[in-house]
Amino acid sequence: VNKNIELIYPVIIESRFGDIIVNESDICQFPDGIYGFADYKSYAIANFPGQTLTKFQILQCLDEIGLVFLLTPLHHQGQLLI
């Protein structure tokens, strides 16, 4: 996302998994970046696009659209819910 442009939310982002809708409340800032990705500080959490993998979410980088992390659901006792 170009930092010189003021965005009007919601914004549709074409991620590698499909289009995601980002609201301003979905945005997370990591002032020091994520370990190994220090230059990228703005992310959004979104539901996995489409009808598959509905239990998953993605952490979409807003500084570099090609950078996205898959978030897996955890049970309250730390076990994967797949």
Side-chain angles (χ1 to χ4, degrees):
V1 173
N2 186 332
K3 296 179 185 190
N4 297 324
I5 298 173
E6 187 171 331
L7 297 177
I8 299 172
Y9 294 93
V11 173
I12 297 176
I13 296 176
E14 295 178 20
S15 81
R16 67 175 49 203
F17 299 111
D19 291 350
I20 60 170
I21 298 172
V22 175
N23 292 298
E24 193 168 9
S25 62
D26 301 327
I27 296 176
C28 304
Q29 298 293 331
F30 294 87
D32 297 323
I34 294 175
Y35 185 74
F37 300 92
D39 294 336
Y40 307 110
K41 302 180 184 333
S42 296
Y43 294 84
I45 296 175
N47 291 325
F48 197 91
Q51 301 300 315
T52 61
L53 303 176
T54 56
K55 292 183 180 179
F56 293 88
Q57 291 185 305
I58 58 174
L59 183 64
Q60 173 67 56
C61 181
L62 301 176
D63 301 317
E64 173 56 57
I65 299 304
L67 180 59
V68 60
F69 299 94
L70 184 62
L71 303 177
T72 59
L74 290 177
H75 186 269
H76 70 279
Q77 295 176 339
Q79 308 235 347
L80 284 176
L81 291 177
I82 297 181

